[in-house]
Amino acid sequence: ADGVLPMFGIGDEVDFMIFSKLIGSEKPDPVMFEEALTRARRFLEAHGQPKLVDSKNVLHIGNSYNKDYLGATGIGFHSVLMDRYNDFDLETMKAKGVPIVKDFFDVVEHITKMEHSRIELQLRLQDQAR
């Protein structure tokens, strides 16, 4: 990850990174994902936005079904797999309900769809409550 982000020109935009060597654990161990959540909470609290980070509001982007997708969803994160090199069998991943993206533009599109779905659900619940 430390070499990939600068390659995309976004290395300076990242507020923190988690490295397994420093944590003493590796994905899919929940410790890695919990540490990321803890650091995100600390960052937001330091910027006057306490408690905005909840595991259900996190999107993990990875490239391994077992390590990234299962690890992240196992503790309640949303997750997508980035398939820049066509490594995944798309039919198999689709059958498992795994979102696949090709690049960061697809990630933005995925987030937009997630947000629209969340808003639609809220509106339906409000209508049902009436």
Side-chain angles (χ1 to χ4, degrees):
D2 56 336
V4 172
L5 296 178
M7 184 173 72
F8 287 112
I10 59 174
D12 294 337
E13 304 299 323
V14 176
D15 296 304
F16 63 88
M17 289 191 239
I18 308 294
F19 296 100
S20 58
K21 291 178 190 175
L22 300 175
I23 302 300
S25 182
E26 292 185 5
K27 298 179 291 183
D29 187 338
V31 169
M32 293 295 293
F33 299 97
E34 290 164 358
E35 181 64 23
L37 188 60
T38 297
R39 290 193 191 185
R41 284 182 177 139
R42 269 191 236 137
F43 174 81
L44 289 173
E45 287 172 6
H47 290 83
Q49 300 176 26
K51 299 183 182 178
L52 285 180
V53 177
D54 185 279
S55 62
K56 67 182 180 203
N57 297 326
V58 173
L59 175 65
H60 176 80
I61 305 165
N63 63 359
S64 166
Y65 176 74
N66 289 324
K67 291 180 181 181
D68 292 305
Y69 185 80
L70 293 180
T73 58
I75 69 159
F77 289 7
H78 294 275
S79 185
V80 298
L81 292 179
M82 188 171 288
D83 189 15
R84 294 182 293 153
Y85 306 110
N86 300 315
D87 293 329
F88 294 107
D89 177 341
L90 297 181
E91 292 302 316
T92 300
M93 292 295 112
K94 184 177 180 180
K96 293 180 178 186
V98 178
I100 303 291
V101 296
K102 291 289 183 188
D103 53 35
F104 286 107
F105 293 112
D106 286 352
V107 172
V108 172
E109 184 178 324
H110 180 80
I111 292 169
T112 301
K113 287 178 183 176
M114 286 174 55
E115 183 62 13
H116 286 180
S117 295
R118 186 187 65 78
I119 291 169
E120 288 175 6
L121 178 60
Q122 285 179 335
L123 292 174
R124 276 189 296 223
L125 292 174
Q126 288 173 355
D127 284 345
Q128 290 174 359
R130 292 180 192 168

